[in-house]
Amino acid sequence: MDGRIVAVFGNMVTAEAEGTAFQNSVAHCCRDDGAKLMAEAIRIRGRNVDLQVFEETRGLKIGDSVEFTEGMLEVELGPGLLGQIYDGLQNPLPKLAEKIGLHLKAGHYMEALDGDEKWAFTPSVSVGDEVEAGEALGSVPEGIFTHPIMVPFGWEGKWKVESIVPAGDYAVHDQIAEVVGGDDQRRKITMTQRWPIKVALNCSRERLLPSKPLVTKVRIIDSMFPIVSGGTYCIPGPFGAGKTVLQQITSRHAEVDVVIVAACGERAGEVVETLVEFPKLTDPRTGKSLMERTVIICNTSSMPVAARGASVYTAVTIAEYYRQMGLNVMLLADSTSRWAQAMREVSGRLEEIPGEEAFPAYLESRIAGFYERAGCLRLKNGKIGSVTIGGTVSPAGGNFEEPVTQGTLKVVGAFHGLSRTRSDARRYPAIDPLDSWSTYIGIIEPEKVQYVKGLLRRGNDVKQMMAVVGEEGTTVEDFTIMLKAEFFDNVYLQQNAFDEVDAATSADRQKLVFDTILEVLRMNFEFEDREQARKVMVEGTDLFRNWNYAATDSDEFKKLQDRIRGFIATKGRGA
Amino acid sequence: MRKFYDHITHVAGSVVTVTATGIGYDELAVIKTRRGSSLAQVIRLEGDHVSMQVFAGTQGVSTGDKVRFLGRPMQVVFSENLMGRIFNGSGEPRDDRPALDDEMIEIGGPSVNPVRRRLPDKMVRTGIPMIDIFNTLVVSQKLPIFSTPGEPYNQLLARVGLQAEADVIILGGMGLRHDDYLTFRNTFEASGVLHRTIMFIHTAADPVVETLLVPDLALAVGEAFAMQGKRVLVLLTDMTAFADALKEVAITMEQIPSNRGYPGDLYSQLARRYEKAVDFEDAGSVTVLAVTTMPGGDVTHPVPDNTGYITEGQFYLTNGRIEPFGSLSRLKQRVNGKTRDDHRAIMDACIQLYAGCRESREKRSMGFEMSPWDEKLLRYGELFEAKIMDLSVDIPLEKALDLCWEILAECLEPAETGIRRALIEAHWPKSLGDRAKTEQLAAKAEKTDPAYKGSAVTV
Ligand SMILES: Nc1ncnc2c1ncn2[C@@H]1O[C@H](COP(=O)(O)OP(=O)(O)OP(=O)(O)O)[C@@H](O)[C@H]1O
Ligand SMILES: [Mg+2]
């Protein structure tokens, strides 16, 4: 079907269409120099179709033709996604750079998967076998994984294998099997399939309650505000509080199979950091480069806004695809606020009735729909796969009472709120231990966590009181509580992301350190006065801090551990 | 042969609507009025109604005026001949010298493919300890100075501009007071950098919308020089004036404001400009240092707020000092691990202690008894403010680090600093005698070190 442009306003184009128009279908606006700019139909009014263009609309004219398709915006799924760097529409950025150079240019699109690369396919079904959507026909090795080639997820009913290729090297678009369906429908299967990004991909037996702790190696998360495989969490925080750094260290150290990094409307430089560093870092779990388990979807702030809106969906669809293989996938989206703002820009141009802060009325349901795509599935073959979603939120003015933060808090399982006070005081990661929460159970027994949270709260109360009555008006007991809370904050909650050892603490080490600290926190020190209390706690802080910097089980580690035992045995009076 | 259109149907704010066909979105036009001619840019097409933003404003535009479309988006001259020249917000000379007719390049062009950027790793030395130690500026960084009106932000901007070893300095002035414009010009002239400086100046007396092109002009030229391998420093002041012009146009276009009248795409608009900061693989770099004045000193105001979410940190300028809290260079860790082994530890410890000092001061001001620890912190804070924070301090990084150790040693016990053992052992000043020696050595180094240049202007 064809149409003509009748209006252009920002990235919004209105086209008059002849024939049937499909909502959310893909269209191309043909600029007079031959470039075809991809767009999506987002509203239909009579013969007028409003399109959001995924590119700068510079140069489009009234009367330019528009080519409509019937298909929705889709991604291509198959072997070769891992290690890729895509834009929000799944164009491979390194290849695009080879083809068109330094700058991105409107109207250039490329195949997401390399059509020439050969993959060593091993069939696992025979002619005559019956298969259904999501079932493997065979597999190829992809880096550290065995990547099953699955019957397209959208195909309903049972299919009989008519032909299957023998083991050998094939390109992704080669036919590897032919199947026939109930009403004698014949279909060919290649190693790739397409999936519309705005539709959740879930081809499973059942959805499970997520409960397995997902270890990020960030102490304050794993021990205090845990997340689980298949769960959701958000990181709201004012600018510069440490959202991105927190996600970066999570993407490095989290104990998951695959990480999808969605850089959504944030800085290009931050993505470059990941691009450059990851190939050089080894994943301790596999001994391979971290890049082999990572996919980067990168639609940074100066890239077109509509594609930014699509990027989080592209990312979550790829995450769901790897979940279908029984893998644990983590999607880190930075920042969901930029995605919400992309929605706001579109809504504004459509002149929809605005809600709070001009966000559209459907903001909350879109946020909910996105996070609902996380989850833990029991697949048809019995394997369990999960998608965990962690999104950052960038609230205007750092004030959490705004639509995106509030809409997100309603649907996530854990809240890691970053505080300006903590980041200004360089108390990183700046997750506020008093405000944050998690509905999940992590690696530390809940009673112990409760105890420490109680102490932190009391410590904070004492601190506030002290601001009114002064130190001299504070009893030694209260003062000690305050010092203990500070101590825990200093040696456990704070973690130096830029120190090789301290940056990542394994679950076992966390349990050991937490328990040791708990001994200190529970101890009755019987201090004589505030000065003595302060001196002892400074000493303890110094010991534990150095312990954090010592590599696990190194000589230094053991030496410090002994000194800490001594510190506890003598109630800090030994040294 | 371009046609003239003279059917102006609508004039509002800075926007004029004319009836025309075959016009491209974003295309440039010239509108001729009785008061002269002005550039205009297409911002909306609706049937044969073409709405344009008129950069000289619409004062005196009549329905009988003529519009000529140029068939191309906004461009700017790019050549070596730009050096030393001064232009206005429409890219016309403002220095009484003839216009250039060299090669033209498009402004507001597409963004660099992220995979073609390289990781920044070069420090920009400024001689200001609050920057060099605590928030190191890095080549290709985009960093605003958040300031309340009245602070010496333009002086600070100029000072950093002069110290940084840039091949090309580009100044984009937006809503600049004429005096400030002259001060910049004189400063650059006095320091002998005018021959590698290019200025795009929009003053407060010029039409408001003309400010909108300034960042694009400055950054397009900067990017082009960087692609030729030059290290470019772009200074933009004041980005709040730019944002206010955006607001004005958005309101004229009846866009629904998102926050205090600013359009919902303020973030994207600002980001498109700031993201031009880049370090190219096999070519040069663009570093962007900007000024964002905070209306009412309020950092949650939409302009500083959105800026903070885009830039790689910010310097707060308050009471004539770079405020240690809140100020942040996000790229510092890319360079401060390679300067000296104690750089990071000093950076962390000094700030944490200074935070402690402020708490103690608060307590003191409320009339509470000062504990021995408070006394120590107070003493530390005073020394730190006088020797490190004061903006007139102009010393190289290494000397500043030594100075921090001395201040620490003068006020505290090693364990109280929270600095790890190994570093304490290596750097803690041994005795007063040694300290005097260190000072002498440092003083000597300052005199003989050719890499270090004193600043030409002081704030
Ligand atoms: N865990 C950490 N350890 C040490 N420094 C940190 C840590 N987290 C953040 N920082 C410091 O804070 C700076 C800003 O952090 P980050 O970029 O993560 O902020 P952000 O919350 O993502 O901000 P924005 O919303 O503007 O993107 C970092 O560049 C770093 O200097
Ligand atoms: Mg960030």
Side-chain angles (χ1 to χ4, degrees):
Chain A
M1 183 188 75
D2 278 339
R4 303 244 152 238
I5 293 179
V6 297
V8 186
F9 181 34
N11 67 348
M12 184 74 56
V13 162
T14 307
E16 210 175 67
E18 302 131 20
T20 324
F22 294 85
Q23 172 74 334
N24 291 117
S25 62
V26 170
H28 290 93
C29 300
C30 307
R31 210 167 57 188
D32 59 9
D33 62 354
K36 293 184 176 185
L37 313 186
M38 195 162 152
E40 179 187 12
I42 51 171
R43 185 168 65 188
I44 302 170
R45 284 182 304 183
R47 287 173 59 196
N48 281 357
V49 181
D50 293 320
L51 302 164
Q52 62 165 337
V53 184
F54 294 115
E55 308 274 6
E56 298 296 334
T57 48
R58 182 175 273 190
L60 286 180
K61 292 178 176 164
I62 301 298
D64 282 351
S65 70
V66 178
E67 297 169 0
F68 287 91
T69 69
E70 291 179 12
M72 294 202 279
L73 194 59
E74 293 175 331
V75 286
E76 185 165 39
L77 303 169
L81 292 167
L82 293 176
Q84 292 271 16
I85 301 136
Y86 291 124
D87 72 3
L89 303 175
Q90 214 196 6
N91 292 296
L93 288 170
K95 287 231 178 92
L96 214 52
E98 273 170 38
K99 191 174 142 202
I100 59 171
L102 214 49
H103 290 90
L104 298 166
K105 294 189 185 92
H108 290 269
Y109 308 104
M110 295 189 79
E111 293 233 303
L113 296 172
D114 184 346
D116 295 329
E117 195 177 351
K118 298 273 198 237
W119 298 86
F121 176 74
T122 313
S124 60
V125 295
S126 322
V127 172
D129 284 358
E130 211 165 58
V131 292
E132 59 180 343
E135 202 169 319
L137 299 164
S139 65
V140 299
E142 181 187 14
I144 45 184
F145 303 109
T146 301
H147 184 132
I149 305 300
M150 295 169 274
V151 177
F153 304 113
W155 293 8
E156 279 167 27
K158 303 270 186 204
W159 300 80
K160 199 144 123 215
V161 178
E162 281 268 299
S163 74
I164 176 97
V165 293
D169 290 347
Y170 301 93
V172 284
H173 296 133
D174 291 346
Q175 177 182 329
I176 56 144
E178 195 169 14
V179 296
V180 59
D183 44 4
D184 269 349
Q185 242 194 102
R186 265 171 192 286
R187 288 188 184 172
K188 296 179 179 23
I189 295 177
T190 68
M191 286 201 250
T192 73
Q193 53 176 308
R194 303 185 69 83
W195 189 265
I197 59 171
K198 292 192 180 156
V199 178
L201 167 50
N202 172 351
C203 200
S204 64
R205 205 182 293 162
E206 62 175 326
R207 200 170 160 156
L208 304 169
L209 187 68
S211 63
K212 194 169 141 277
L214 193 163
V215 176
T216 63
K217 301 195 183 143
V218 176
R219 292 189 289 262
I220 186 168
I221 296 179
D222 298 343
S223 298
M224 304 293 289
F225 308 105
I227 55 175
V228 292
S229 296
T232 53
Y233 69 105
C234 68
I235 311 174
F239 63 76
K243 300 179 290 297
T244 305
V245 170
L246 199 52
Q247 285 215 331
Q248 280 172 342
I249 49 184
T250 307
S251 68
R252 286 180 189 199
H253 305 300
E255 293 186 347
V256 292
D257 299 313
V258 173
V259 176
I260 316 285
V261 174
C264 172
E266 294 285 305
R267 304 167 187 83
E270 292 168 348
V271 185
V272 180
E273 215 163 300
T274 309
L275 295 185
V276 174
E277 301 291 339
F278 270 33
K280 291 189 238 156
L281 297 171
T282 43
D283 179 359
R285 286 160 22 108
T286 61
K288 294 282 177 50
S289 124
L290 266 183
M291 206 60 208
E292 285 192 26
R293 69 163 201 180
T294 311
V295 185
I296 299 173
I297 311 295
C298 154
N299 218 101
T300 55
S301 58
S302 61
M303 288 161 76
V305 166
R308 182 204 296 172
S311 67
V312 297
Y313 293 110
T314 299
V316 73
T317 310
I318 294 174
E320 288 166 333
Y321 177 61
Y322 280 94
R323 174 172 66 184
Q324 287 298 138
M325 303 175 199
L327 297 174
N328 292 313
V329 188
M330 178 148 204
L331 165 60
L332 297 167
D334 186 14
S335 155
T336 59
S337 294
R338 306 302 162 219
W339 160 60
Q341 287 179 345
M343 272 190 258
R344 176 167 72 186
E345 283 185 34
V346 171
S347 166
R349 296 223 163 83
L350 288 175
E351 289 166 3
E352 292 172 338
I353 296 165
E356 217 181 318
E357 288 183 25
F359 283 107
Y362 45 80
L363 176 74
E364 281 198 2
S365 62
R366 293 278 168 89
I367 292 174
F370 170 65
Y371 281 102
E372 267 303 298
R373 291 178 72 168
C376 193
L377 301 182
R378 193 191 310 280
L379 302 171
K380 288 178 182 163
N381 61 9
K383 281 191 189 169
I384 292 176
S386 68
V387 168
T388 309
I389 300 183
T392 66
V393 187
S394 318
N399 180 3
F400 293 172
E401 301 298 317
E402 58 86 51
V404 186
T405 313
Q406 289 305 314
T408 307
L409 284 180
K410 281 185 194 162
V411 295
V412 293
F415 160 57
H416 302 157
L418 303 190
S419 101
R420 169 65 79 220
T421 325
R422 286 184 73 81
S423 70
D424 277 354
R426 306 288 197 265
R427 292 177 179 228
Y428 294 121
I431 297 175
D432 191 322
L434 300 174
D435 279 353
S436 301
W437 47 258
S438 168
T439 58
Y440 305 121
I441 293 174
I443 55 171
I444 305 284
E445 293 86 327
E447 312 80 67
K448 293 182 184 170
V449 176
Q450 276 319 315
Y451 176 82
V452 173
K453 281 187 187 161
L455 182 82
L456 288 173
R457 202 150 281 136
R458 277 158 60 213
N460 185 55
D461 291 346
V462 173
K463 218 173 173 180
Q464 304 224 313
M465 195 183 66
M466 242 163 60
V468 183
V469 300
E471 250 181 67
E472 58 270 36
T474 310
T475 62
V476 177
E477 285 70 34
D478 277 354
F479 193 69
T480 308
I481 287 171
M482 191 275 292
L483 285 177
K484 281 178 172 175
E486 279 293 293
F487 163 76
F488 182 72
D489 190 342
N490 280 319
V491 304
Y492 201 80
L493 299 183
Q494 294 171 43
Q495 197 170 348
N496 188 341
F498 303 111
D499 181 89
E500 213 167 303
V501 176
D502 199 31
T505 311
S506 70
D508 284 343
R509 184 164 174 167
Q510 285 188 45
K511 288 180 202 161
L512 171 69
V513 175
F514 195 95
D515 283 343
T516 316
I517 288 178
L518 215 51
E519 287 183 59
V520 175
L521 298 182
R522 288 193 159 134
M523 183 152 53
N524 181 0
F525 277 95
E526 296 167 319
F527 291 126
E528 275 140 37
D529 55 27
R530 289 186 296 268
E531 251 337 275
Q532 187 196 29
R534 168 138 44 215
K535 206 167 148 286
V536 167
M537 292 314 284
V538 164
E539 170 92 27
T541 305
D542 191 44
L543 277 174
F544 275 84
R545 240 205 215 135
N546 280 291
W547 199 28
N548 285 339
Y549 287 128
T552 309
D553 293 334
S554 63
D555 287 347
E556 178 72 4
F557 181 89
K558 291 188 190 118
K559 214 166 73 197
L560 283 159
Q561 191 172 12
D562 286 346
R563 287 188 52 198
I564 286 170
R565 301 285 1 143
F567 174 85
I568 293 172
T570 62
K571 296 194 174 180
R573 270 53 156 218
Chain B
M1 284 300 96
R2 293 248 152 212
K3 224 167 106 187
F4 283 100
Y5 293 90
D6 57 5
H7 195 64
I8 291 178
T9 56
H10 200 88
V11 183
S14 61
V15 178
V16 161
T17 306
V18 66
T19 308
T21 51
I23 308 305
Y25 190 73
D26 245 8
E27 191 173 322
L28 211 58
V30 176
I31 174 164
K32 262 211 167 85
T33 71
R34 271 190 310 189
R35 291 170 55 240
S37 61
S38 164
L39 285 177
Q41 188 173 19
V42 174
I43 53 172
R44 186 168 200 160
L45 296 172
E46 223 174 347
D48 57 3
H49 296 295
V50 179
S51 300
M52 295 165 300
Q53 183 169 288
V54 181
F55 292 112
T58 54
Q59 243 176 7
V61 168
S62 78
T63 48
D65 288 341
K66 289 196 165 58
V67 178
R68 183 167 56 95
F69 289 92
L70 303 182
R72 57 166 176 84
M74 180 71 188
Q75 294 178 326
V76 63
V77 170
F78 171 67
S79 79
E80 288 288 329
N81 298 331
L82 285 173
M83 300 283 193
R85 297 295 309 265
I86 305 172
F87 303 91
N88 71 9
S90 291
E92 293 151 0
R94 127 172 251 146
D95 53 5
D96 299 329
R97 288 162 64 188
L100 296 167
D101 60 354
D102 296 326
E103 184 203 345
M104 303 284 276
I105 56 167
E106 201 174 305
I107 73 163
S111 90
V112 170
N113 188 327
V115 303
R116 281 298 179 89
R117 290 168 177 265
R118 72 186 280 286
L119 273 185
D121 56 3
K122 288 172 244 113
M123 172 180 173
V124 178
R125 285 179 174 258
T126 67
I128 303 169
M130 289 317 286
I131 297 180
D132 290 356
I133 299 188
F134 298 98
N135 286 298
T136 321
L137 186 64
V138 180
V139 170
S140 90
Q141 190 158 17
K142 40 183 177 288
L143 203 85
I145 298 165
F146 283 173
S147 174
T148 36
E151 294 287 338
Y153 50 82
N154 281 336
Q155 285 95 314
L156 180 60
L157 200 65
R159 178 172 166 191
V160 175
L162 294 178
Q163 297 257 4
E165 298 169 325
D167 301 321
V168 186
I169 301 167
I170 303 178
L171 175 68
M174 288 155 279
L176 211 56
R177 289 188 330 172
H178 205 266
D179 296 357
D180 288 334
Y181 154 53
L182 293 178
T183 310
F184 268 114
R185 207 187 61 189
N186 296 344
T187 309
F188 288 151
E189 196 157 23
S191 330
V193 300
L194 207 56
H195 66 282
R196 53 184 172 94
T197 304
I198 305 163
M199 299 191 212
F200 294 94
I201 302 292
H202 166 267
T203 67
D206 301 330
V208 173
V209 259
E210 211 175 49
T211 207
L212 285 175
L213 290 174
V214 169
D216 288 339
L217 291 167
L219 292 162
V221 168
E223 187 177 52
F225 275 117
M227 282 162 70
Q228 294 187 342
K230 299 235 163 49
R231 288 167 306 171
V232 181
L233 177 67
V234 177
L235 306 171
L236 298 172
T237 175
D238 167 359
M239 287 298 279
T240 305
F242 169 77
D244 286 343
L246 283 177
K247 174 166 87 172
E248 201 174 303
V249 174
I251 288 173
T252 320
M253 293 299 289
E254 293 171 0
Q255 282 182 42
I256 301 149
S258 67
N259 205 338
R260 295 200 228 179
Y262 290 91
D265 66 354
L266 179 62
Y267 173 85
S268 303
Q269 294 286 1
L270 290 171
R272 280 181 55 169
R273 274 86 192 179
Y274 280 113
E275 283 280 312
K276 288 279 176 195
V278 65
D279 201 348
F280 285 119
E281 201 70 65
D282 308 319
S285 61
V286 179
T287 308
V288 178
L289 197 63
V291 166
T292 300
T293 49
M294 301 183 288
D298 176 13
V299 67
T300 66
H301 180 277
V303 180
D305 186 49
N306 277 287
T307 304
Y309 278 117
I310 292 163
T311 52
E312 288 152 338
Q314 64 281 329
F315 295 150
Y316 283 91
L317 192 60
T318 26
N319 303 321
R321 286 203 291 235
I322 295 178
E323 173 66 33
F325 306 110
S327 292
L328 176 70
S329 157
R330 305 206 191 182
L331 300 187
K332 63 182 175 205
Q333 58 265 19
R334 300 219 51 84
V335 296
N336 64 12
K338 295 177 293 196
T339 47
R340 216 169 86 173
D341 63 339
D342 56 334
H343 186 163
R344 288 182 176 171
I346 284 288
M347 170 182 91
D348 291 336
C350 285
I351 293 296
Q352 290 204 350
L353 289 165
Y354 187 65
C357 162
R358 288 221 171 153
E359 270 175 34
S360 300
R361 278 186 191 162
E362 215 162 279
K363 280 195 274 178
R364 188 178 56 184
S365 73
M366 293 176 72
F368 295 134
E369 194 183 300
M370 293 285 93
S371 69
W373 175 241
D374 286 323
E375 297 291 356
K376 283 183 174 186
L377 287 173
L378 290 174
R379 175 120 184 284
Y380 163 80
E382 251 160 60
L383 285 176
F384 185 72
E385 283 177 354
K387 295 190 170 184
I388 301 289
M389 278 177 66
D390 199 299
L391 261 189
S392 67
V393 178
D394 185 0
I395 49 175
L397 169 75
E398 292 71 18
K399 175 111 196 284
L401 288 173
D402 292 342
L403 202 54
C404 287
W405 281 109
E406 278 164 35
I407 296 171
L408 291 175
E410 220 166 302
C411 309
L412 305 160
E413 295 303 317
E416 290 170 333
T417 62
I419 298 175
R420 68 178 103 164
R421 294 269 148 80
L423 284 173
I424 296 268
E425 274 157 27
H427 294 280
W428 196 257
K430 299 289 181 302
S431 69
L432 278 175
D434 281 1
R435 206 179 306 157
K437 217 176 352 177
T438 331
E439 240 165 41
Q440 269 174 10
L441 284 175
K444 219 156 123 205
E446 191 190 357
K447 275 194 210 108
T448 51
D449 184 2
Y452 172 70
K453 295 199 221 90
S455 86
V457 240
T458 36
V459 176

